[in-house]
Amino acid sequence: MTWSFTDNAAAFRAVAAEHLAADPARNTAVLTLVDGAGRLGWWTEADGTVTGVLVVARPGVPVFGAVTEEAARALALPGGLPDGEEPTEARGETAAVEAYAEATGRPWTPIVRMRLFRLGEPVPPDPAPAGTARLATGADVPLVAAWTGEYARAVGEEPAEDYTGFVTERISEGRLWLWEGPDGRPVSMAAVSRTTEGQVRVHLVHTPPAERGRGYAAGVTEAVGRAALDAGAAQVLLFTDLANPTSNALYQRLGYRPVTDHLRVAFTGLTR
Protein backbone atom coordinates (compact mmCIF):
# COMPACT_ATOMS: atom_id res chain seq x y z
CA MET A 1 0.00 0.00 0.00
CA THR A 2 1.55 3.25 -1.10
CA TRP A 3 1.13 6.79 -2.39
CA SER A 4 2.28 7.52 -5.95
CA PHE A 5 2.62 10.94 -7.58
CA THR A 6 2.71 12.46 -11.04
CA ASP A 7 2.51 15.91 -12.58
CA ASN A 8 0.80 14.44 -15.66
CA ALA A 9 -2.98 14.96 -15.45
CA ALA A 10 -3.72 12.42 -18.19
CA ALA A 11 -1.68 9.73 -16.46
CA PHE A 12 -3.41 10.48 -13.16
CA ARG A 13 -6.86 10.30 -14.72
CA ALA A 14 -6.01 6.98 -16.34
CA VAL A 15 -4.90 5.28 -13.15
CA ALA A 16 -7.52 6.88 -10.85
CA ALA A 17 -10.46 6.95 -13.28
CA GLU A 18 -12.56 4.30 -11.54
CA HIS A 19 -12.09 5.84 -8.11
CA LEU A 20 -12.87 9.35 -9.35
CA ALA A 21 -16.00 8.22 -11.18
CA ALA A 22 -17.28 6.15 -8.26
CA ASP A 23 -17.99 9.23 -6.14
CA PRO A 24 -17.43 12.51 -8.00
CA ALA A 25 -19.06 14.50 -5.19
CA ARG A 26 -16.53 13.38 -2.57
CA ASN A 27 -13.75 13.87 -5.15
CA THR A 28 -14.97 17.30 -6.26
CA ALA A 29 -11.97 19.27 -4.94
CA VAL A 30 -9.53 17.03 -6.81
CA LEU A 31 -11.63 16.99 -9.99
CA THR A 32 -11.80 20.79 -10.16
CA LEU A 33 -8.06 21.21 -9.48
CA VAL A 34 -6.57 18.33 -11.44
CA ASP A 35 -5.75 20.15 -14.69
CA GLY A 36 -4.00 23.06 -13.02
CA ALA A 37 -2.34 21.24 -10.14
CA GLY A 38 1.35 20.69 -9.57
CA ARG A 39 1.31 17.13 -8.21
CA LEU A 40 -1.43 14.51 -8.28
CA GLY A 41 -1.41 11.51 -5.97
CA TRP A 42 -3.22 8.19 -5.63
CA TRP A 43 -3.26 5.56 -2.88
CA THR A 44 -2.96 1.96 -4.07
CA GLU A 45 -4.05 -1.01 -1.94
CA ALA A 46 -2.13 -4.30 -1.85
CA ASP A 47 -4.39 -5.71 -4.57
CA GLY A 48 -3.69 -2.77 -6.90
CA THR A 49 -7.00 -0.99 -6.30
CA VAL A 50 -6.88 2.80 -6.07
CA THR A 51 -8.85 3.88 -2.99
CA GLY A 52 -7.68 7.45 -2.45
CA VAL A 53 -6.63 10.57 -4.35
CA LEU A 54 -5.21 13.99 -3.58
CA VAL A 55 -3.85 17.11 -5.21
CA VAL A 56 -0.80 19.01 -3.97
CA ALA A 57 -2.29 22.36 -4.93
CA ARG A 58 0.90 24.18 -4.03
CA PRO A 59 4.03 22.94 -2.23
CA GLY A 60 3.13 21.64 1.21
CA VAL A 61 -0.65 21.83 0.76
CA PRO A 62 -2.33 18.44 0.16
CA VAL A 63 -6.00 18.60 -0.84
CA PHE A 64 -7.64 15.23 -0.22
CA GLY A 65 -10.40 13.72 -2.30
CA ALA A 66 -12.16 10.56 -1.13
CA VAL A 67 -9.47 8.83 0.92
CA THR A 68 -9.26 6.48 3.90
CA GLU A 69 -7.87 7.61 7.23
CA GLU A 70 -5.16 4.95 6.87
CA ALA A 71 -3.99 6.49 3.61
CA ALA A 72 -4.11 9.98 5.11
CA ARG A 73 -1.92 8.88 8.02
CA ALA A 74 0.54 7.21 5.63
CA LEU A 75 1.04 10.52 3.83
CA ALA A 76 2.39 11.94 7.10
CA LEU A 77 5.28 9.47 7.18
CA PRO A 78 8.75 10.80 6.26
CA GLY A 79 8.88 11.29 2.50
CA GLY A 80 5.11 11.12 2.20
CA LEU A 81 4.70 14.37 0.31
CA PRO A 82 6.57 14.66 -3.00
CA ASP A 83 10.00 16.29 -3.08
CA GLY A 84 10.32 16.05 0.70
CA GLU A 85 7.92 18.94 1.25
CA GLU A 86 6.85 19.87 4.77
CA PRO A 87 3.11 20.46 5.16
CA THR A 88 1.94 24.02 5.72
CA GLU A 89 -1.79 23.33 5.31
CA ALA A 90 -4.15 20.45 4.55
CA ARG A 91 -7.68 20.40 3.16
CA GLY A 92 -10.32 17.75 2.59
CA GLU A 93 -12.90 15.66 4.39
CA THR A 94 -12.71 16.25 8.12
CA ALA A 95 -11.84 12.68 9.16
CA ALA A 96 -8.98 12.40 6.66
CA VAL A 97 -7.51 15.83 7.45
CA GLU A 98 -7.64 15.24 11.19
CA ALA A 99 -6.01 11.81 10.79
CA TYR A 100 -3.25 13.32 8.64
CA ALA A 101 -2.71 16.33 10.91
CA GLU A 102 -2.39 14.20 14.05
CA ALA A 103 -0.05 11.75 12.30
CA THR A 104 2.38 14.53 11.32
CA GLY A 105 3.16 15.14 14.99
CA ARG A 106 3.10 18.87 14.35
CA PRO A 107 0.96 21.53 16.02
CA TRP A 108 -2.01 22.46 13.86
CA THR A 109 -5.04 24.66 14.06
CA PRO A 110 -8.36 24.67 12.16
CA ILE A 111 -8.76 27.52 9.68
CA VAL A 112 -12.28 26.84 8.45
CA ARG A 113 -14.86 24.07 8.72
CA MET A 114 -16.98 23.54 5.61
CA ARG A 115 -19.96 21.45 4.58
CA LEU A 116 -20.38 20.03 1.08
CA PHE A 117 -23.95 20.16 -0.24
CA ARG A 118 -25.57 18.56 -3.30
CA LEU A 119 -28.60 19.99 -5.08
CA GLY A 120 -31.67 17.75 -5.09
CA GLU A 121 -34.87 19.17 -6.51
CA PRO A 122 -34.33 22.92 -7.06
CA VAL A 123 -36.63 25.10 -4.95
CA PRO A 124 -37.19 28.72 -6.08
CA PRO A 125 -36.56 31.34 -3.40
CA ASP A 126 -39.65 32.32 -1.44
CA PRO A 127 -40.28 35.18 -1.47
CA ALA A 128 -38.84 35.67 -4.95
CA PRO A 129 -36.31 38.51 -5.10
CA ALA A 130 -36.97 41.48 -7.34
CA GLY A 131 -35.11 41.39 -10.64
CA THR A 132 -33.85 38.64 -12.90
CA ALA A 133 -30.82 36.46 -13.67
CA ARG A 134 -28.69 36.68 -16.79
CA LEU A 135 -25.41 35.36 -18.08
CA ALA A 136 -22.48 37.74 -17.62
CA THR A 137 -20.91 39.17 -20.76
CA GLY A 138 -17.56 40.65 -21.68
CA ALA A 139 -18.82 44.09 -20.70
CA ASP A 140 -19.18 42.84 -17.12
CA VAL A 141 -15.53 41.78 -16.72
CA PRO A 142 -14.30 44.89 -14.81
CA LEU A 143 -17.19 44.74 -12.33
CA VAL A 144 -16.97 40.98 -11.81
CA ALA A 145 -13.18 41.15 -11.38
CA ALA A 146 -13.61 43.77 -8.64
CA TRP A 147 -16.30 41.69 -6.96
CA THR A 148 -14.05 38.64 -7.08
CA GLY A 149 -11.42 40.52 -5.10
CA GLU A 150 -14.09 41.43 -2.55
CA TYR A 151 -15.17 37.80 -2.41
CA ALA A 152 -11.60 36.62 -1.80
CA ARG A 153 -11.23 39.00 1.13
CA ALA A 154 -14.61 37.97 2.53
CA VAL A 155 -13.62 34.28 2.64
CA GLY A 156 -10.23 35.01 4.19
CA GLU A 157 -8.04 34.63 1.12
CA GLU A 158 -5.36 37.03 -0.06
CA PRO A 159 -6.80 38.70 -3.18
CA ALA A 160 -4.85 38.52 -6.42
CA GLU A 161 -3.72 41.71 -8.08
CA ASP A 162 -5.85 41.15 -11.17
CA TYR A 163 -8.77 38.77 -11.72
CA THR A 164 -9.40 39.78 -15.33
CA GLY A 165 -8.24 36.49 -16.84
CA PHE A 166 -9.92 34.46 -14.12
CA VAL A 167 -13.37 35.96 -14.69
CA THR A 168 -13.00 36.28 -18.47
CA GLU A 169 -12.53 32.50 -18.70
CA ARG A 170 -15.71 31.85 -16.72
CA ILE A 171 -17.73 34.44 -18.62
CA SER A 172 -16.55 33.30 -22.06
CA GLU A 173 -17.51 29.71 -21.19
CA GLY A 174 -20.98 30.74 -20.00
CA ARG A 175 -20.29 29.75 -16.39
CA LEU A 176 -20.91 33.02 -14.55
CA TRP A 177 -24.34 34.50 -13.88
CA LEU A 178 -25.44 37.86 -12.54
CA TRP A 179 -28.61 38.94 -10.80
CA GLU A 180 -29.95 42.28 -11.99
CA GLY A 181 -32.01 44.34 -9.59
CA PRO A 182 -35.24 46.10 -10.56
CA ASP A 183 -33.29 49.01 -12.05
CA GLY A 184 -31.21 46.72 -14.30
CA ARG A 185 -27.98 47.01 -12.28
CA PRO A 186 -26.01 43.84 -11.48
CA VAL A 187 -26.35 43.25 -7.73
CA SER A 188 -25.09 39.68 -7.17
CA MET A 189 -23.10 36.94 -8.90
CA ALA A 190 -22.48 33.20 -8.87
CA ALA A 191 -20.44 30.85 -11.04
CA VAL A 192 -20.02 27.13 -11.63
CA SER A 193 -16.95 25.03 -12.32
CA ARG A 194 -16.56 23.12 -15.56
CA THR A 195 -18.51 19.86 -15.71
CA THR A 196 -16.23 16.96 -14.75
CA GLU A 197 -17.45 13.40 -14.19
CA GLY A 198 -20.97 14.80 -14.38
CA GLN A 199 -20.52 17.21 -11.47
CA VAL A 200 -20.18 20.98 -11.24
CA ARG A 201 -19.59 23.10 -8.17
CA VAL A 202 -21.18 26.48 -7.49
CA HIS A 203 -18.71 29.11 -6.33
CA LEU A 204 -18.11 32.88 -6.30
CA VAL A 205 -21.51 33.52 -4.72
CA HIS A 206 -21.17 37.19 -3.79
CA THR A 207 -23.40 40.17 -3.16
CA PRO A 208 -21.83 43.56 -2.33
CA PRO A 209 -22.66 44.63 1.24
CA ALA A 210 -24.90 47.50 0.13
CA GLU A 211 -27.15 45.09 -1.80
CA ARG A 212 -27.54 42.38 0.83
CA GLY A 213 -30.74 41.41 2.61
CA ARG A 214 -32.90 41.46 -0.53
CA GLY A 215 -32.62 37.82 -1.59
CA TYR A 216 -30.37 38.47 -4.58
CA ALA A 217 -27.85 35.74 -3.66
CA ALA A 218 -30.70 33.23 -3.42
CA GLY A 219 -31.96 34.28 -6.83
CA VAL A 220 -28.63 33.97 -8.64
CA THR A 221 -27.69 30.75 -6.84
CA GLU A 222 -30.98 29.12 -7.81
CA ALA A 223 -30.55 30.32 -11.39
CA VAL A 224 -27.00 29.05 -11.82
CA GLY A 225 -27.83 25.66 -10.26
CA ARG A 226 -30.90 25.19 -12.44
CA ALA A 227 -28.93 26.20 -15.54
CA ALA A 228 -26.26 23.60 -14.74
CA LEU A 229 -28.89 20.86 -14.40
CA ASP A 230 -30.55 21.97 -17.64
CA ALA A 231 -27.14 21.77 -19.35
CA GLY A 232 -26.80 18.12 -18.31
CA ALA A 233 -24.90 18.15 -15.02
CA ALA A 234 -25.77 15.08 -12.96
CA GLN A 235 -24.72 16.72 -9.68
CA VAL A 236 -24.58 20.37 -8.62
CA LEU A 237 -22.47 20.88 -5.50
CA LEU A 238 -21.40 23.75 -3.28
CA PHE A 239 -19.44 24.36 -0.09
CA THR A 240 -20.59 26.47 2.83
CA ASP A 241 -18.72 27.79 5.85
CA LEU A 242 -20.19 26.08 8.91
CA ALA A 243 -19.60 29.30 10.86
CA ASN A 244 -22.20 31.03 8.65
CA PRO A 245 -25.65 29.74 9.65
CA THR A 246 -27.36 32.16 7.24
CA SER A 247 -25.82 30.67 4.10
CA ASN A 248 -26.25 27.10 5.37
CA ALA A 249 -29.96 27.68 5.93
CA LEU A 250 -30.34 29.49 2.61
CA TYR A 251 -28.90 26.72 0.48
CA GLN A 252 -31.02 24.09 2.19
CA ARG A 253 -34.13 26.15 1.42
CA LEU A 254 -33.05 26.10 -2.24
CA GLY A 255 -32.92 22.30 -2.27
CA TYR A 256 -29.31 21.52 -1.32
CA ARG A 257 -28.67 18.57 0.99
CA PRO A 258 -25.53 17.78 3.08
CA VAL A 259 -22.98 15.31 1.68
CA THR A 260 -19.94 15.49 4.00
CA ASP A 261 -17.99 17.89 6.19
CA HIS A 262 -14.60 19.33 5.24
CA LEU A 263 -11.77 20.91 7.17
CA ARG A 264 -8.85 23.17 6.34
CA VAL A 265 -5.99 23.29 8.83
CA ALA A 266 -2.70 25.17 9.13
CA PHE A 267 0.47 23.69 10.60
CA THR A 268 2.44 25.83 13.02
CA GLY A 269 5.75 25.55 14.80
CA LEU A 270 8.21 22.68 14.72
CA THR A 271 7.64 18.96 14.86
CA ARG A 272 6.50 17.94 18.35
Side-chain angles (χ1 to χ4, degrees), residues 101 104-109 266-272:
T104 66
R106 295 183 57 187
W108 58 276
T109 185
F267 294 95
T268 57
L270 301 174
T271 302
R272 288 196 291 254

Side-chain angles (χ1 to χ4, degrees), residues 24-39:
R26 290 184 61 205
N27 287 308
T28 183
V30 171
L31 286 167
T32 53
L33 290 171
V34 60
D35 291 316
R39 291 298 188 102

